[in-house]
Amino acid sequence: MDDLRQTYIDLIANAPDEATLEDLRLRAVGKKGEISLKMRELGKMTAEERQVAGPALNALKDEINSALAAKKSALENAALDERLRSEWLDVTLPSRPRRAGTIHPISQVTEEVSAIFADMGFAVAEGPQIESDWYNFDALNIPGHHPARAEMDTFYTHRAEGDERPPHVLRTHTSPVQIRSMQDQGAPIRIIAPGRVYRADYDMTHTPMFHQIEGLAIDKNISMANLKWVLEEFVKAFFEVDDVELRFRASHFPFTEPSAEVDIRCSWEGGTLKVGEGDDWLEILGSGMVHPHVLRSGNVDPDVWQGFAFGMGIDRIAMLKYGIPDLRAFFDSDLRWLRHYGFAALDVPTLRGGLSR
Ligand code: PHE
């Protein structure tokens, strides 16, 4: 009995886990366990033998049972200690976002463009996105019957029944800011006006809301030559190349005369855009000398002042510079897209720091 006792006490003391302990319990004091079998043999003993063996076996059974219970709770405590150690958490630490947000490419490019023009003395101007049709059209020399009105796929606001006033429009371009800025500041003036514009159009390269940046420079002796220099400086800085070739193609806008659409020399070799080399041309903006009617709408005297204006698609140049194929994805708010194409929040574009760092 002493051997039995010693064997089980040792085995229990060394049991590594609760499963082993349960095994030992069955082997020792289970229904068919060694101690239980010994107890069954008591029946075959003489009364004297039984008087000695009975209490001894019972004492052994109790001892084994309490050894099992003690070991079980020791194992449970050890498991709990281990969990407390591994799941330890300092709730007093300051919170920390798992991922920082990113700057949308439109915001990034707007900042880049603004930094470049600010360096050339242009201030940023703004105007409302819901415009009167006078600012959006008439003031810009686009009268009621002009085909440009139809071409712009304009969104009109609703007027109450019987209200004869012309409806407001979601501005179809940033050009109305030319008028508002001239009215507010007079001449001379040098502004750029980035912002949202709206046209009913939807495909790979068109969304009903998109972004333009307007430029306006009015002074006493501003010419197309100044326009050309400013745009060349802009394109070099924006696409981060030393040399560019611009092509001015005669065009027509009601609000400029003469008018030109501007292309940049580029190559699409291997499917990637390279600005400044190659045999392709890429249209990036519309421009021209501000029409005298437009100056008059802005209360600026066309006999004294003249200047240039241009309008450029921000989304378009963002797609080109950062190789983003589908415009519609810009406005889907898809987190994976934003993380892929977004910019680190603290990388504010500056000319000194390198724009697209
Ligand atoms: N407003 C024109 C457009 O949306 C662009 C433009 C602006 C052209 C200024 C000439 C001068 O297409």
Side-chain angles (χ1 to χ4, degrees), residues 152 172-175 178 199 212 214-215 253 255-256 259-260 285-288 309-312:
M152 294 255 199
T172 58
H173 50 181
T174 42
S175 299
Q178 289 186 34
R199 292 181 200 176
Q212 287 189 334
E214 194 80 8
F253 298 103
F255 29 90
T256 46
S259 302
L285 58 89
S287 66
F310 61 86
M312 184 160 55

PDB file of all heavy atoms in Angstrom, residues 152 172-175 178 199 212 214-215 253 255-256 259-260 285-288 309-312, ligand 1:
ATOM      1  N   MET A 152     -23.015  72.563 -71.937  1.00  0.00           N
ATOM      2  CA  MET A 152     -22.458  72.403 -70.594  1.00  0.00           C
ATOM      3  C   MET A 152     -23.206  71.375 -69.752  1.00  0.00           C
ATOM      4  O   MET A 152     -22.806  71.095 -68.629  1.00  0.00           O
ATOM      5  CB  MET A 152     -22.457  73.742 -69.866  1.00  0.00           C
ATOM      6  CG  MET A 152     -21.513  74.747 -70.497  1.00  0.00           C
ATOM      7  SD  MET A 152     -20.032  74.946 -69.518  1.00  0.00           S
ATOM      8  CE  MET A 152     -19.411  76.521 -70.127  1.00  0.00           C
ATOM      9  N   THR A 172     -21.143  75.400 -63.748  1.00  0.00           N
ATOM     10  CA  THR A 172     -20.618  74.406 -64.691  1.00  0.00           C
ATOM     11  C   THR A 172     -19.122  74.569 -64.882  1.00  0.00           C
ATOM     12  O   THR A 172     -18.480  73.756 -65.544  1.00  0.00           O
ATOM     13  CB  THR A 172     -21.308  74.554 -66.056  1.00  0.00           C
ATOM     14  OG1 THR A 172     -21.094  75.899 -66.524  1.00  0.00           O
ATOM     15  CG2 THR A 172     -22.800  74.295 -65.954  1.00  0.00           C
ATOM     16  N   HIS A 173     -18.573  75.664 -64.362  1.00  0.00           N
ATOM     17  CA  HIS A 173     -17.126  75.907 -64.425  1.00  0.00           C
ATOM     18  C   HIS A 173     -16.760  76.915 -63.338  1.00  0.00           C
ATOM     19  O   HIS A 173     -17.647  77.464 -62.669  1.00  0.00           O
ATOM     20  CB  HIS A 173     -16.689  76.400 -65.819  1.00  0.00           C
ATOM     21  CG  HIS A 173     -17.498  77.544 -66.374  1.00  0.00           C
ATOM     22  ND1 HIS A 173     -17.265  78.102 -67.616  1.00  0.00           N
ATOM     23  CD2 HIS A 173     -18.526  78.263 -65.842  1.00  0.00           C
ATOM     24  CE1 HIS A 173     -18.121  79.093 -67.834  1.00  0.00           C
ATOM     25  NE2 HIS A 173     -18.879  79.205 -66.782  1.00  0.00           N
ATOM     26  N   THR A 174     -15.457  77.122 -63.125  1.00  0.00           N
ATOM     27  CA  THR A 174     -15.038  78.084 -62.099  1.00  0.00           C
ATOM     28  C   THR A 174     -14.959  79.505 -62.660  1.00  0.00           C
ATOM     29  O   THR A 174     -14.651  80.444 -61.911  1.00  0.00           O
ATOM     30  CB  THR A 174     -13.677  77.674 -61.494  1.00  0.00           C
ATOM     31  OG1 THR A 174     -12.800  77.240 -62.537  1.00  0.00           O
ATOM     32  CG2 THR A 174     -13.844  76.555 -60.465  1.00  0.00           C
ATOM     33  N   SER A 175     -15.268  79.691 -63.944  1.00  0.00           N
ATOM     34  CA  SER A 175     -15.144  81.021 -64.552  1.00  0.00           C
ATOM     35  C   SER A 175     -15.993  82.117 -63.884  1.00  0.00           C
ATOM     36  O   SER A 175     -15.570  83.272 -63.884  1.00  0.00           O
ATOM     37  CB  SER A 175     -15.450  80.937 -66.053  1.00  0.00           C
ATOM     38  OG  SER A 175     -14.521  80.074 -66.685  1.00  0.00           O
ATOM     39  N   GLN A 178     -14.153  84.567 -61.834  1.00  0.00           N
ATOM     40  CA  GLN A 178     -13.502  85.720 -62.495  1.00  0.00           C
ATOM     41  C   GLN A 178     -14.316  86.982 -62.248  1.00  0.00           C
ATOM     42  O   GLN A 178     -13.786  88.018 -61.848  1.00  0.00           O
ATOM     43  CB  GLN A 178     -13.431  85.507 -64.020  1.00  0.00           C
ATOM     44  CG  GLN A 178     -12.469  84.458 -64.512  1.00  0.00           C
ATOM     45  CD  GLN A 178     -12.398  84.467 -66.042  1.00  0.00           C
ATOM     46  OE1 GLN A 178     -12.511  85.524 -66.687  1.00  0.00           O
ATOM     47  NE2 GLN A 178     -12.217  83.304 -66.638  1.00  0.00           N
ATOM     48  N   ARG A 199     -21.503  69.004 -63.989  1.00  0.00           N
ATOM     49  CA  ARG A 199     -22.109  68.802 -65.312  1.00  0.00           C
ATOM     50  C   ARG A 199     -22.708  67.403 -65.363  1.00  0.00           C
ATOM     51  O   ARG A 199     -22.123  66.462 -64.812  1.00  0.00           O
ATOM     52  CB  ARG A 199     -21.071  68.937 -66.431  1.00  0.00           C
ATOM     53  CG  ARG A 199     -20.546  70.358 -66.586  1.00  0.00           C
ATOM     54  CD  ARG A 199     -19.538  70.468 -67.707  1.00  0.00           C
ATOM     55  NE  ARG A 199     -18.736  71.675 -67.527  1.00  0.00           N
ATOM     56  CZ  ARG A 199     -17.712  72.025 -68.290  1.00  0.00           C
ATOM     57  NH1 ARG A 199     -17.365  71.268 -69.314  1.00  0.00           N
ATOM     58  NH2 ARG A 199     -17.046  73.137 -68.043  1.00  0.00           N
ATOM     59  N   GLN A 212     -12.227  72.155 -60.927  1.00  0.00           N
ATOM     60  CA  GLN A 212     -11.433  72.967 -61.848  1.00  0.00           C
ATOM     61  C   GLN A 212     -10.600  73.950 -61.033  1.00  0.00           C
ATOM     62  O   GLN A 212     -10.856  74.185 -59.851  1.00  0.00           O
ATOM     63  CB  GLN A 212     -12.342  73.783 -62.780  1.00  0.00           C
ATOM     64  CG  GLN A 212     -13.026  72.972 -63.860  1.00  0.00           C
ATOM     65  CD  GLN A 212     -13.721  73.864 -64.874  1.00  0.00           C
ATOM     66  OE1 GLN A 212     -14.116  75.001 -64.573  1.00  0.00           O
ATOM     67  NE2 GLN A 212     -13.895  73.351 -66.079  1.00  0.00           N
ATOM     68  N   GLU A 214      -9.392  77.909 -61.815  1.00  0.00           N
ATOM     69  CA  GLU A 214      -9.461  79.046 -62.721  1.00  0.00           C
ATOM     70  C   GLU A 214      -8.253  79.928 -62.447  1.00  0.00           C
ATOM     71  O   GLU A 214      -7.815  80.036 -61.302  1.00  0.00           O
ATOM     72  CB  GLU A 214     -10.748  79.842 -62.409  1.00  0.00           C
ATOM     73  CG  GLU A 214     -11.133  80.852 -63.457  1.00  0.00           C
ATOM     74  CD  GLU A 214     -11.840  80.184 -64.637  1.00  0.00           C
ATOM     75  OE1 GLU A 214     -12.147  78.977 -64.554  1.00  0.00           O
ATOM     76  OE2 GLU A 214     -12.083  80.881 -65.644  1.00  0.00           O
ATOM     77  N   GLY A 215      -7.721  80.548 -63.496  1.00  0.00           N
ATOM     78  CA  GLY A 215      -6.672  81.537 -63.306  1.00  0.00           C
ATOM     79  C   GLY A 215      -7.100  82.836 -63.968  1.00  0.00           C
ATOM     80  O   GLY A 215      -7.756  82.807 -65.015  1.00  0.00           O
ATOM     81  N   PHE A 253     -13.821  80.149 -76.900  1.00  0.00           N
ATOM     82  CA  PHE A 253     -14.653  80.250 -75.703  1.00  0.00           C
ATOM     83  C   PHE A 253     -15.337  81.605 -75.783  1.00  0.00           C
ATOM     84  O   PHE A 253     -14.713  82.587 -76.225  1.00  0.00           O
ATOM     85  CB  PHE A 253     -13.804  80.189 -74.423  1.00  0.00           C
ATOM     86  CG  PHE A 253     -13.048  78.899 -74.272  1.00  0.00           C
ATOM     87  CD1 PHE A 253     -11.685  78.837 -74.542  1.00  0.00           C
ATOM     88  CD2 PHE A 253     -13.690  77.732 -73.849  1.00  0.00           C
ATOM     89  CE1 PHE A 253     -10.981  77.650 -74.408  1.00  0.00           C
ATOM     90  CE2 PHE A 253     -12.986  76.542 -73.714  1.00  0.00           C
ATOM     91  CZ  PHE A 253     -11.634  76.493 -73.987  1.00  0.00           C
ATOM     92  N   PHE A 255     -15.910  83.638 -73.530  1.00  0.00           N
ATOM     93  CA  PHE A 255     -15.389  84.612 -72.552  1.00  0.00           C
ATOM     94  C   PHE A 255     -13.949  85.004 -72.781  1.00  0.00           C
ATOM     95  O   PHE A 255     -13.376  85.775 -72.000  1.00  0.00           O
ATOM     96  CB  PHE A 255     -15.578  84.087 -71.121  1.00  0.00           C
ATOM     97  CG  PHE A 255     -15.563  82.579 -71.018  1.00  0.00           C
ATOM     98  CD1 PHE A 255     -14.382  81.894 -70.810  1.00  0.00           C
ATOM     99  CD2 PHE A 255     -16.747  81.857 -71.152  1.00  0.00           C
ATOM    100  CE1 PHE A 255     -14.367  80.508 -70.720  1.00  0.00           C
ATOM    101  CE2 PHE A 255     -16.741  80.463 -71.073  1.00  0.00           C
ATOM    102  CZ  PHE A 255     -15.552  79.777 -70.864  1.00  0.00           C
ATOM    103  N   THR A 256     -13.309  84.465 -73.836  1.00  0.00           N
ATOM    104  CA  THR A 256     -11.934  84.890 -74.149  1.00  0.00           C
ATOM    105  C   THR A 256     -11.820  85.163 -75.647  1.00  0.00           C
ATOM    106  O   THR A 256     -12.507  84.547 -76.460  1.00  0.00           O
ATOM    107  CB  THR A 256     -10.899  83.812 -73.759  1.00  0.00           C
ATOM    108  OG1 THR A 256     -11.352  82.541 -74.211  1.00  0.00           O
ATOM    109  CG2 THR A 256     -10.668  83.774 -72.264  1.00  0.00           C
ATOM    110  N   SER A 259      -8.772  82.781 -78.119  1.00  0.00           N
ATOM    111  CA  SER A 259      -8.817  81.646 -77.193  1.00  0.00           C
ATOM    112  C   SER A 259      -7.854  80.559 -77.647  1.00  0.00           C
ATOM    113  O   SER A 259      -7.613  80.414 -78.844  1.00  0.00           O
ATOM    114  CB  SER A 259     -10.225  81.042 -77.145  1.00  0.00           C
ATOM    115  OG  SER A 259     -11.179  82.008 -76.746  1.00  0.00           O
ATOM    116  N   ALA A 260      -7.354  79.820 -76.693  1.00  0.00           N
ATOM    117  CA  ALA A 260      -6.442  78.725 -77.050  1.00  0.00           C
ATOM    118  C   ALA A 260      -6.635  77.562 -76.087  1.00  0.00           C
ATOM    119  O   ALA A 260      -6.811  77.767 -74.879  1.00  0.00           O
ATOM    120  CB  ALA A 260      -4.993  79.203 -76.991  1.00  0.00           C
ATOM    121  N   LEU A 285      -5.787  72.291 -70.640  1.00  0.00           N
ATOM    122  CA  LEU A 285      -6.611  73.422 -70.197  1.00  0.00           C
ATOM    123  C   LEU A 285      -7.109  74.263 -71.360  1.00  0.00           C
ATOM    124  O   LEU A 285      -6.648  74.138 -72.494  1.00  0.00           O
ATOM    125  CB  LEU A 285      -5.828  74.302 -69.217  1.00  0.00           C
ATOM    126  CG  LEU A 285      -4.504  74.922 -69.679  1.00  0.00           C
ATOM    127  CD1 LEU A 285      -4.721  76.283 -70.346  1.00  0.00           C
ATOM    128  CD2 LEU A 285      -3.575  75.094 -68.498  1.00  0.00           C
ATOM    129  N   GLY A 286      -8.090  75.140 -71.044  1.00  0.00           N
ATOM    130  CA  GLY A 286      -8.572  76.154 -71.971  1.00  0.00           C
ATOM    131  C   GLY A 286      -8.141  77.514 -71.464  1.00  0.00           C
ATOM    132  O   GLY A 286      -8.037  77.717 -70.254  1.00  0.00           O
ATOM    133  N   SER A 287      -7.890  78.436 -72.386  1.00  0.00           N
ATOM    134  CA  SER A 287      -7.366  79.736 -71.947  1.00  0.00           C
ATOM    135  C   SER A 287      -7.610  80.799 -73.011  1.00  0.00           C
ATOM    136  O   SER A 287      -8.126  80.509 -74.088  1.00  0.00           O
ATOM    137  CB  SER A 287      -5.867  79.618 -71.694  1.00  0.00           C
ATOM    138  OG  SER A 287      -5.199  79.347 -72.928  1.00  0.00           O
ATOM    139  N   GLY A 288      -7.195  82.012 -72.710  1.00  0.00           N
ATOM    140  CA  GLY A 288      -7.288  83.085 -73.692  1.00  0.00           C
ATOM    141  C   GLY A 288      -7.207  84.443 -73.030  1.00  0.00           C
ATOM    142  O   GLY A 288      -7.021  84.542 -71.809  1.00  0.00           O
ATOM    143  N   ALA A 309      -6.987  84.549 -68.917  1.00  0.00           N
ATOM    144  CA  ALA A 309      -7.680  83.620 -67.999  1.00  0.00           C
ATOM    145  C   ALA A 309      -7.449  82.208 -68.498  1.00  0.00           C
ATOM    146  O   ALA A 309      -7.187  81.992 -69.682  1.00  0.00           O
ATOM    147  CB  ALA A 309      -9.175  83.926 -67.954  1.00  0.00           C
ATOM    148  N   PHE A 310      -7.497  81.281 -67.574  1.00  0.00           N
ATOM    149  CA  PHE A 310      -7.435  79.873 -67.993  1.00  0.00           C
ATOM    150  C   PHE A 310      -8.267  79.032 -67.035  1.00  0.00           C
ATOM    151  O   PHE A 310      -8.551  79.448 -65.902  1.00  0.00           O
ATOM    152  CB  PHE A 310      -5.985  79.352 -68.048  1.00  0.00           C
ATOM    153  CG  PHE A 310      -5.273  79.407 -66.723  1.00  0.00           C
ATOM    154  CD1 PHE A 310      -5.402  78.369 -65.809  1.00  0.00           C
ATOM    155  CD2 PHE A 310      -4.459  80.498 -66.395  1.00  0.00           C
ATOM    156  CE1 PHE A 310      -4.741  78.425 -64.584  1.00  0.00           C
ATOM    157  CE2 PHE A 310      -3.796  80.544 -65.172  1.00  0.00           C
ATOM    158  CZ  PHE A 310      -3.945  79.513 -64.260  1.00  0.00           C
ATOM    159  N   GLY A 311      -8.660  77.865 -67.509  1.00  0.00           N
ATOM    160  CA  GLY A 311      -9.410  76.939 -66.663  1.00  0.00           C
ATOM    161  C   GLY A 311      -8.902  75.531 -66.898  1.00  0.00           C
ATOM    162  O   GLY A 311      -8.776  75.087 -68.037  1.00  0.00           O
ATOM    163  N   MET A 312      -8.604  74.842 -65.800  1.00  0.00           N
ATOM    164  CA  MET A 312      -7.928  73.547 -65.908  1.00  0.00           C
ATOM    165  C   MET A 312      -8.667  72.522 -65.044  1.00  0.00           C
ATOM    166  O   MET A 312      -9.180  72.872 -63.982  1.00  0.00           O
ATOM    167  CB  MET A 312      -6.506  73.765 -65.373  1.00  0.00           C
ATOM    168  CG  MET A 312      -5.572  72.613 -65.467  1.00  0.00           C
ATOM    169  SD  MET A 312      -3.860  73.219 -65.341  1.00  0.00           S
ATOM    170  CE  MET A 312      -3.895  74.121 -63.792  1.00  0.00           C
TER     171      MET A 312
HETATM  172  N1  PHE B   1     -14.384  77.629 -68.397  1.00  0.00           N
HETATM  173  C1  PHE B   1     -13.779  76.841 -69.454  1.00  0.00           C
HETATM  174  C2  PHE B   1     -14.267  75.394 -69.340  1.00  0.00           C
HETATM  175  O1  PHE B   1     -14.860  75.036 -68.340  1.00  0.00           O
HETATM  176  C3  PHE B   1     -12.278  76.860 -69.360  1.00  0.00           C
HETATM  177  C4  PHE B   1     -11.691  78.238 -69.593  1.00  0.00           C
HETATM  178  C5  PHE B   1     -11.491  79.103 -68.534  1.00  0.00           C
HETATM  179  C6  PHE B   1     -11.355  78.634 -70.865  1.00  0.00           C
HETATM  180  C7  PHE B   1     -10.945  80.365 -68.742  1.00  0.00           C
HETATM  181  C8  PHE B   1     -10.819  79.885 -71.098  1.00  0.00           C
HETATM  182  C9  PHE B   1     -10.607  80.727 -70.021  1.00  0.00           C
HETATM  183  O2  PHE B   1     -14.070  74.601 -70.229  1.00  0.00           O
END
